[in-house]
mmCIF file of all heavy atoms in Angstrom:
data_model
loop_
_atom_site.group_PDB
_atom_site.id
_atom_site.type_symbol
_atom_site.label_atom_id
_atom_site.label_comp_id
_atom_site.label_asym_id
_atom_site.label_seq_id
_atom_site.Cartn_x
_atom_site.Cartn_y
_atom_site.Cartn_z
ATOM 1 N N CYS A 34 -9.017 7.805 -13.032
ATOM 2 C CA CYS A 34 -8.611 6.922 -14.127
ATOM 3 C C CYS A 34 -7.145 7.140 -14.498
ATOM 4 O O CYS A 34 -6.418 6.182 -14.770
ATOM 5 C CB CYS A 34 -9.491 7.146 -15.353
ATOM 6 S SG CYS A 34 -11.185 6.633 -15.113
ATOM 7 N N SER A 35 -6.733 8.368 -14.508
ATOM 8 C CA SER A 35 -5.330 8.679 -14.828
ATOM 9 C C SER A 35 -4.396 8.066 -13.785
ATOM 10 O O SER A 35 -3.369 7.469 -14.130
ATOM 11 C CB SER A 35 -5.118 10.193 -14.880
ATOM 12 O OG SER A 35 -5.952 10.770 -15.856
ATOM 13 N N LEU A 36 -4.754 8.199 -12.522
ATOM 14 C CA LEU A 36 -3.939 7.632 -11.446
ATOM 15 C C LEU A 36 -3.899 6.111 -11.525
ATOM 16 O O LEU A 36 -2.831 5.488 -11.406
ATOM 17 C CB LEU A 36 -4.482 8.077 -10.088
ATOM 18 C CG LEU A 36 -4.433 9.571 -9.785
ATOM 19 C CD1 LEU A 36 -5.238 9.896 -8.539
ATOM 20 C CD2 LEU A 36 -2.992 10.046 -9.643
ATOM 21 N N TYR A 37 -5.057 5.503 -11.745
ATOM 22 C CA TYR A 37 -5.109 4.044 -11.788
ATOM 23 C C TYR A 37 -4.481 3.465 -13.059
ATOM 24 O O TYR A 37 -4.016 2.325 -13.049
ATOM 25 C CB TYR A 37 -6.526 3.524 -11.556
ATOM 26 C CG TYR A 37 -6.738 3.165 -10.116
ATOM 27 C CD1 TYR A 37 -7.521 3.949 -9.281
ATOM 28 C CD2 TYR A 37 -6.119 2.049 -9.560
ATOM 29 C CE1 TYR A 37 -7.690 3.627 -7.944
ATOM 30 C CE2 TYR A 37 -6.275 1.720 -8.225
ATOM 31 C CZ TYR A 37 -7.055 2.510 -7.424
ATOM 32 O OH TYR A 37 -7.203 2.190 -6.099
ATOM 33 N N ALA A 38 -4.443 4.207 -14.148
ATOM 34 C CA ALA A 38 -3.752 3.718 -15.350
ATOM 35 C C ALA A 38 -2.294 3.414 -15.008
ATOM 36 O O ALA A 38 -1.767 2.346 -15.342
ATOM 37 C CB ALA A 38 -3.842 4.740 -16.476
ATOM 38 N N TYR A 39 -1.664 4.332 -14.329
ATOM 39 C CA TYR A 39 -0.272 4.125 -13.927
ATOM 40 C C TYR A 39 -0.156 2.979 -12.921
ATOM 41 O O TYR A 39 0.687 2.088 -13.066
ATOM 42 C CB TYR A 39 0.305 5.410 -13.326
ATOM 43 C CG TYR A 39 1.683 5.206 -12.759
ATOM 44 C CD1 TYR A 39 2.789 5.107 -13.598
ATOM 45 C CD2 TYR A 39 1.872 5.072 -11.388
ATOM 46 C CE1 TYR A 39 4.056 4.887 -13.079
ATOM 47 C CE2 TYR A 39 3.125 4.846 -10.849
ATOM 48 C CZ TYR A 39 4.221 4.760 -11.700
ATOM 49 O OH TYR A 39 5.470 4.521 -11.188
ATOM 50 N N PHE A 40 -1.021 2.968 -11.914
ATOM 51 C CA PHE A 40 -0.965 1.947 -10.869
ATOM 52 C C PHE A 40 -1.133 0.542 -11.447
ATOM 53 O O PHE A 40 -0.367 -0.373 -11.141
ATOM 54 C CB PHE A 40 -2.019 2.219 -9.796
ATOM 55 C CG PHE A 40 -2.027 1.190 -8.698
ATOM 56 C CD1 PHE A 40 -1.022 1.172 -7.745
ATOM 57 C CD2 PHE A 40 -3.036 0.242 -8.632
ATOM 58 C CE1 PHE A 40 -1.020 0.221 -6.730
ATOM 59 C CE2 PHE A 40 -3.037 -0.716 -7.618
ATOM 60 C CZ PHE A 40 -2.026 -0.724 -6.671
ATOM 61 N N PHE A 41 -2.145 0.338 -12.288
ATOM 62 C CA PHE A 41 -2.391 -0.984 -12.861
ATOM 63 C C PHE A 41 -1.239 -1.433 -13.755
ATOM 64 O O PHE A 41 -0.916 -2.619 -13.805
ATOM 65 C CB PHE A 41 -3.719 -1.021 -13.620
ATOM 66 C CG PHE A 41 -4.924 -0.980 -12.723
ATOM 67 C CD1 PHE A 41 -6.034 -0.220 -13.077
ATOM 68 C CD2 PHE A 41 -4.969 -1.683 -11.531
ATOM 69 C CE1 PHE A 41 -7.161 -0.182 -12.265
ATOM 70 C CE2 PHE A 41 -6.090 -1.649 -10.702
ATOM 71 C CZ PHE A 41 -7.185 -0.902 -11.074
ATOM 72 N N PHE A 42 -0.628 -0.506 -14.457
ATOM 73 C CA PHE A 42 0.520 -0.864 -15.289
ATOM 74 C C PHE A 42 1.646 -1.426 -14.426
ATOM 75 O O PHE A 42 2.304 -2.394 -14.807
ATOM 76 C CB PHE A 42 1.011 0.346 -16.099
ATOM 77 C CG PHE A 42 2.132 0.008 -17.024
ATOM 78 C CD1 PHE A 42 1.874 -0.622 -18.229
ATOM 79 C CD2 PHE A 42 3.441 0.300 -16.687
ATOM 80 C CE1 PHE A 42 2.916 -0.961 -19.094
ATOM 81 C CE2 PHE A 42 4.485 -0.021 -17.533
ATOM 82 C CZ PHE A 42 4.218 -0.656 -18.739
ATOM 83 N N THR A 43 1.835 -0.838 -13.254
ATOM 84 C CA THR A 43 2.927 -1.286 -12.386
ATOM 85 C C THR A 43 2.695 -2.689 -11.827
ATOM 86 O O THR A 43 3.659 -3.345 -11.430
ATOM 87 C CB THR A 43 3.172 -0.308 -11.204
ATOM 88 O OG1 THR A 43 2.029 -0.309 -10.346
ATOM 89 C CG2 THR A 43 3.484 1.087 -11.699
ATOM 90 N N ILE A 44 1.439 -3.162 -11.799
ATOM 91 C CA ILE A 44 1.170 -4.505 -11.292
ATOM 92 C C ILE A 44 0.762 -5.472 -12.410
ATOM 93 O O ILE A 44 0.176 -6.516 -12.159
ATOM 94 C CB ILE A 44 0.135 -4.496 -10.140
ATOM 95 C CG1 ILE A 44 -1.213 -3.945 -10.584
ATOM 96 C CG2 ILE A 44 0.686 -3.745 -8.936
ATOM 97 C CD1 ILE A 44 -2.319 -4.112 -9.546
ATOM 98 N N ARG A 45 1.078 -5.130 -13.643
ATOM 99 C CA ARG A 45 0.897 -5.975 -14.831
ATOM 100 C C ARG A 45 -0.564 -6.347 -15.113
ATOM 101 O O ARG A 45 -0.851 -7.418 -15.615
ATOM 102 C CB ARG A 45 1.752 -7.240 -14.729
ATOM 103 C CG ARG A 45 3.225 -6.984 -14.801
ATOM 104 C CD ARG A 45 4.089 -8.234 -14.795
ATOM 105 N NE ARG A 45 3.372 -9.466 -15.010
ATOM 106 C CZ ARG A 45 3.447 -10.530 -14.209
ATOM 107 N NH1 ARG A 45 4.187 -10.510 -13.150
ATOM 108 N NH2 ARG A 45 2.782 -11.625 -14.500
ATOM 109 N N LEU A 46 -1.474 -5.457 -14.816
ATOM 110 C CA LEU A 46 -2.868 -5.621 -15.218
ATOM 111 C C LEU A 46 -3.076 -4.714 -16.427
ATOM 112 O O LEU A 46 -3.622 -3.618 -16.330
ATOM 113 C CB LEU A 46 -3.817 -5.283 -14.065
ATOM 114 C CG LEU A 46 -3.845 -6.277 -12.912
ATOM 115 C CD1 LEU A 46 -4.724 -5.776 -11.771
ATOM 116 C CD2 LEU A 46 -4.313 -7.658 -13.384
ATOM 117 N N TYR A 47 -2.590 -5.180 -17.566
ATOM 118 C CA TYR A 47 -2.555 -4.352 -18.774
ATOM 119 C C TYR A 47 -3.945 -4.056 -19.319
ATOM 120 O O TYR A 47 -4.179 -2.977 -19.870
ATOM 121 C CB TYR A 47 -1.681 -5.001 -19.837
ATOM 122 C CG TYR A 47 -0.284 -5.277 -19.351
ATOM 123 C CD1 TYR A 47 0.279 -6.550 -19.448
ATOM 124 C CD2 TYR A 47 0.480 -4.275 -18.757
ATOM 125 C CE1 TYR A 47 1.559 -6.804 -18.985
ATOM 126 C CE2 TYR A 47 1.763 -4.522 -18.296
ATOM 127 C CZ TYR A 47 2.290 -5.794 -18.410
ATOM 128 O OH TYR A 47 3.550 -6.035 -17.941
ATOM 129 N N GLY A 48 -4.850 -4.997 -19.176
ATOM 130 C CA GLY A 48 -6.227 -4.730 -19.596
ATOM 131 C C GLY A 48 -6.819 -3.591 -18.783
ATOM 132 O O GLY A 48 -7.467 -2.703 -19.330
ATOM 133 N N GLU A 49 -6.584 -3.618 -17.479
ATOM 134 C CA GLU A 49 -7.082 -2.548 -16.618
ATOM 135 C C GLU A 49 -6.404 -1.222 -16.946
ATOM 136 O O GLU A 49 -7.029 -0.164 -16.873
ATOM 137 C CB GLU A 49 -6.865 -2.892 -15.143
ATOM 138 C CG GLU A 49 -7.569 -4.141 -14.681
ATOM 139 C CD GLU A 49 -9.023 -4.195 -15.076
ATOM 140 O OE1 GLU A 49 -9.746 -3.206 -14.873
ATOM 141 O OE2 GLU A 49 -9.443 -5.244 -15.599
ATOM 142 N N THR A 50 -5.118 -1.291 -17.322
ATOM 143 C CA THR A 50 -4.397 -0.068 -17.720
ATOM 144 C C THR A 50 -5.062 0.549 -18.942
ATOM 145 O O THR A 50 -5.383 1.744 -18.952
ATOM 146 C CB THR A 50 -2.920 -0.389 -18.026
ATOM 147 O OG1 THR A 50 -2.315 -0.966 -16.867
ATOM 148 C CG2 THR A 50 -2.167 0.858 -18.442
#
Side-chain angles (χ1 to χ4, degrees):
C34 293
S35 301
L36 296 169
Y37 264 107
Y39 174 76
F40 179 74
F41 288 140
F42 183 79
T43 65
I44 61 171
R45 292 184 13 233
L46 289 175
Y47 304 127
E49 299 311 312
T50 301

